[in-house]
Amino acid sequence: MFGRSPRTALLATAAALALAGGLLTGAAAAPAPQADGEAAAAPAAALPALHTQGNRIVNAAGTPVTLRGLSILAPEQNDVCTDCNSKPINELIDMTISDGWESKVLRLLVTEVLGKDLAAYDAQYIRPYVDYAVSKGLYVIIDLHLVRNYGDTAGAVPQSQVKQFWDYIAPRYGNNPNVLFEVFNEPINPDSWATWKTYIQPVVDSIRTVSDNVILMGSPAWSTRLNGARTNPITGGNIAYVYHLYPNQGPASAANLDPKFGNAAAEIPVVLTEFGWDPVQPPHPVTGGTTSGWGLPLRQYLDARPHIGWTAWIFDNFWAPVMFDKNWNLLGGEHQGAFVRDWLAGAPATSPCNTHLARGATATASSTLNANAAAARAVDGSCTDDGRWMSAEGDATPTLTINLGQYRSVDQIDVYSGYRWPATVADTILVDFRVEAHTSAGWVTAATIADNTKAVVSVAAPAASIDQVRLVITDPSNNAVDIARVYEVALH
């Protein structure tokens, strides 16, 4: 969905690729990557061909397959960030299947292609990376990554241009069982399923003359209108319907998600080819969210519905919401990076509030409201209302100090505050405060937060190791009972 800011295994034969519990699982070690521009490694034996059956994507044996993977940035955008530590695309592909990452699907973006020489574009930006990903035992989604109105109005993408792209691409990749086609990333307007079907059906018809590969079908309003397919599906077979989900659409609860795509997924194949969140301050109007408040319940929802596949957005250090910082350090805590990695690996689903470096550390406070609100509650791994430190009324500058007992390397400090987590009562959140850290050179300010409205604030820790963290709170809340309410201070 998002482009450049400020607006994912192994060499395997089909026999080496097992299906466990319906999820794609790994294979054997891969050869060293090649540099961009070099000829791709010889492809491995093809993966099992995929097709749709009822509301599932299945392999040639009819076994249901849950596709789970990552989007990477468009190869032609790899050098756009001037202060990023960019990596060759093949190296990124290797990263998605190593160091704990167990992606099985690579979503490859095709961006600035309209009006270009398709043969030259394919040779430079598509073919090398499809071949390389296939050699690593990955399924590959070729995603025509348009975020545009569609049709004949000014500024919209004419049907002829989309059809021209797929008339070139489909014959060249249509016999490769590893490849899926995402025909139009995010059509915006007209916001009409019937109009969209009239526009895209001839494109699908043309693809079907040369290929039976699975087509991933977007929908109007940034691919959020797939419900139209329940009563008026695109014809041509082997079509799965795409939904794109971000925190601006509301909580990741069954009550909210079922009407958007969950109910449809009980009838037709559905794949979330984009979702992601970012706890940056101030919050982004679309992606602003946290792992514990949005990512964790989304995982719980999707894990309970293995018929819904997904590719997370985005395995990058520049396009937002990022999974790494600009030097490719994995972002943990309330950021999505480490959480998505662990999800792909099948690790238990836990909130970063529950497991962190400061849990069980020694905590002291300038005051406490009562015996049930002791300072130790701020490092007990509980983001429940019974697991909070609360300062006493009349404490004008509540201060909480956490002593780790030894110097530790810390990347990120997350401060959880308020009441009734995660749907926190707004006026109970910490308003103004400093996050300080103690290094061998003394106390330093990690961040000064003013006019806060977020229940979770994530700040970068000092580069040096620290043995203590301190919150100095100058405005505890906007509530009539003016006390500091802190669920947890989590260090990652």
Side-chain angles (χ1 to χ4, degrees):
M1 180 169 190
F2 296 95
R4 298 167 290 281
S5 297
R7 215 308 298 132
T8 37
L10 309 156
L11 183 59
T13 64
L17 190 74
L19 291 173
L23 303 182
L24 290 169
T25 56
Q34 295 169 321
D36 288 5
E38 295 181 8
L47 290 172
L50 302 176
H51 64 277
T52 63
Q53 181 176 295
N55 71 329
R56 296 300 304 256
I57 294 176
V58 301
N59 64 17
T63 305
V65 172
T66 303
L67 296 173
R68 291 180 176 174
L70 299 160
S71 294
I72 61 169
L73 84 168
E76 65 181 300
Q77 306 291 350
N78 196 23
D79 59 354
V80 170
C81 180
T82 58
D83 61 340
C84 293
N85 178 15
S86 61
K87 292 180 179 291
I89 297 298
N90 283 353
E91 187 174 341
L92 292 182
I93 293 172
D94 284 331
M95 288 174 62
T96 71
I97 53 175
S98 60
D99 295 330
W101 292 91
E102 297 183 17
S103 178
K104 307 306 173 194
V105 189
L106 181 81
R107 184 170 180 250
L108 181 69
L109 278 55
V110 175
T111 51
E112 307 300 327
V113 67
L114 299 184
K116 300 285 182 66
D117 180 327
L118 291 176
Y121 188 100
D122 179 39
Q124 184 172 1
Y125 295 122
I126 304 177
R127 174 62 68 181
Y129 308 115
V130 171
D131 286 350
Y132 190 73
V134 168
S135 80
K136 297 295 185 175
L138 288 162
Y139 286 103
V140 183
I141 299 168
I142 299 177
D143 164 37
L144 181 56
H145 199 80
L146 303 174
V147 186
R148 299 270 298 277
N149 291 341
Y150 65 96
D152 298 324
T153 59
V157 180
Q159 180 198 77
S160 59
Q161 291 188 336
V162 176
K163 187 173 180 298
Q164 181 183 33
F165 175 81
W166 289 110
D167 283 351
Y168 184 87
I169 292 297
R172 287 160 176 79
Y173 296 91
N175 292 322
N176 189 329
N178 294 59
V179 176
L180 300 83
F181 302 143
E182 189 165 356
V183 291
F184 193 132
N185 168 58
E186 287 185 351
I188 305 174
N189 286 310
D191 187 0
S192 162
W193 177 262
T195 303
W196 168 245
K197 181 178 177 180
T198 298
Y199 174 93
I200 205 65
Q201 185 68 65
V203 177
V204 173
D205 293 343
S206 187
I207 292 173
R208 284 292 173 252
T209 65
V210 296
S211 172
D212 198 39
N213 288 34
V214 169
I215 290 173
L216 298 173
M217 177 60 60
S219 62
W222 296 275
S223 286
T224 64
R225 299 292 192 249
L226 61 71
N227 279 318
R230 299 174 71 179
T231 56
N232 189 18
I234 307 295
T235 61
N238 283 351
I239 296 173
Y241 295 90
V242 162
Y243 195 92
H244 288 178
L245 181 69
Y246 291 94
N248 69 312
Q249 297 180 41
S253 63
N256 185 46
L257 301 184
D258 280 350
K260 295 182 184 301
F261 61 86
N263 292 336
E267 304 170 4
I268 59 178
V270 170
V271 180
L272 271 63
T273 56
E274 285 190 20
F275 66 83
W277 64 93
D278 196 335
V280 294
Q281 180 75 15
H284 189 281
V286 174
T287 61
T290 62
T291 297
S292 54
W294 197 83
L296 180 60
L298 177 63
R299 174 177 176 178
Q300 293 167 335
Y301 181 88
L302 293 178
D303 282 356
R305 296 162 178 81
H307 51 287
I308 302 176
W310 54 262
T311 55
W313 182 271
I314 180 172
F315 192 82
D316 197 36
N317 66 347
F318 180 45
W319 284 29
V322 296
M323 295 189 184
F324 301 86
D325 69 17
K326 290 184 178 181
N327 291 313
W328 293 101
N329 296 305
L330 182 64
L331 294 171
E334 294 298 333
H335 290 272
Q336 64 177 347
F339 185 84
V340 171
R341 177 200 61 190
D342 294 346
W343 188 356
L344 285 168
T350 59
S351 167
C353 176
N354 303 140
T355 304
H356 56 88
L357 297 175
R359 183 168 180 174
T362 301
T364 56
S366 58
S367 66
T368 57
L369 182 65
N370 53 49
N372 294 322
R377 298 289 181 90
V379 287
D380 63 355
S382 171
C383 275
T384 66
D385 291 329
D386 292 334
R388 294 180 297 166
W389 163 64
M390 293 184 283
S391 66
E393 293 186 66
D395 187 346
T397 310
T399 302
L400 176 72
T401 304
I402 297 164
N403 192 325
L404 301 177
Q406 60 180 316
Y407 283 96
R408 303 289 300 269
S409 177
V410 177
D411 297 319
Q412 183 175 308
I413 303 168
D414 295 333
V415 180
Y416 299 73
S417 69
Y419 174 48
R420 292 181 181 167
W421 173 264
T424 304
V425 176
D427 67 2
T428 62
I429 295 168
L430 298 180
V431 179
D432 300 333
F433 60 99
R434 293 194 310 277
V435 181
E436 300 177 346
H438 188 264
T439 72
S440 59
W443 286 99
V444 297
T445 298
T448 299
I449 310 298
D451 299 321
N452 176 49
T453 60
K454 294 181 64 180
V456 183
V457 175
S458 297
V459 304
S465 296
I466 63 175
D467 66 342
Q468 297 180 71
V469 170
R470 183 165 65 196
L471 298 187
V472 181
I473 302 163
T474 52
D475 188 351
S477 75
N478 288 320
N479 190 269
V481 181
D482 200 19
I483 62 176
R485 302 167 175 87
V486 176
Y487 286 101
E488 200 80 5
V489 179
L491 276 56
H492 299 281

